[in-house]
Amino acid sequence: MNFKQFGVLLSVSTILGINVIATKVLAVDEPSITFGDALGSGGCKVADQLPGEDGRSLSIVLDNFNAYNGGRKKCVLRVQSFIPSGFIIQDVQVLYQGTTEVNRGSKGTSLSRTYSFSGGALGQAVAPPKTTKFTSDKAFAEQDEITVLAATGLCSGGGQGLLGINLIAQSSSGSNIFVDTADINAGDVRLYFDLKRC
């Protein structure tokens, strides 16, 4: 099995694992979040988005987000979310999946990300900027945990908010990083919102 096939297998097994978990969550009959269109700009575009069966997760499939042989690519993602009345966001988990290729003598690749919330209904994000460096070929799955401080008076009627994610993929000479679906490289961004009753 070559490296790229392993990346596809990892992505497929992750999707199957999430579906099993989502089925269990549905049995509890918990409230759902409605997601608007995810938008990508600055060097990437959203090829597709798939809401999870649990009503709290969203997979975003990116296109054209990769950096080759010393290149740098920026991606600005915006995800609109509608929170049900009587609930607030407690935290958000964001999972990045992709692959890296690092030749001998190369300094490797990196994926940097920062977060912002706007619109009030999501509260305020508490997450320092994060950077993960890769120095060898690998299929990666990097997860960030974002704590959310609820806005005052948020529980009066749920509401709308916008999650912003700023990503930078960087490669050194002799290396490549993919967080997209080009060719056979498996990559996406998965969001999970943890709701809490007010």
Side-chain angles (χ1 to χ4, degrees), residues 6-159:
F6 174 74
V8 171
L9 181 62
L10 174 67
S11 183
V12 170
S13 65
T14 303
I15 291 168
L16 292 175
I18 287 175
N19 284 339
V20 170
I21 293 167
T23 304
K24 291 179 183 176
V25 171
L26 280 177
V28 181
D29 194 29
E30 295 187 8
S32 297
I33 296 172
T34 303
F35 294 102
D37 288 338
L39 301 173
S41 63
C44 69
K45 61 182 179 179
V46 174
D48 199 3
Q49 67 183 62
L50 308 164
E53 292 179 13
D54 59 359
R56 295 180 180 196
S57 59
L58 179 70
S59 291
I60 300 172
V61 179
L62 297 177
D63 193 18
N64 198 34
F65 186 45
N66 45 59
Y68 296 101
N69 199 25
R72 180 180 186 268
K73 184 76 76 85
K74 183 174 182 177
C75 178
V76 179
L77 284 177
R78 298 292 178 256
V79 181
Q80 193 158 25
S81 306
F82 301 88
I83 310 305
S85 179
F87 288 85
I88 58 173
I89 298 293
Q90 184 169 338
D91 59 39
V92 179
Q93 291 94 40
V94 185
L95 175 67
Y96 301 95
Q97 296 184 113
T99 58
T100 63
E101 298 171 350
V102 180
N103 291 328
R104 178 173 283 167
S106 174
K107 294 180 181 175
T109 64
S110 64
L111 180 65
S112 300
R113 54 254 186 222
T114 58
Y115 301 95
S116 64
F117 291 171
S118 62
L122 291 180
Q124 180 181 5
V126 180
K130 299 184 186 269
T131 299
T132 305
K133 296 185 179 190
F134 306 100
T135 56
S136 63
D137 288 1
K138 72 183 294 184
F140 64 83
E142 289 295 314
Q143 183 166 321
D144 293 344
E145 304 279 338
I146 306 165
T147 302
V148 179
L149 299 178
T152 306
L154 184 63
C155 289
S156 60

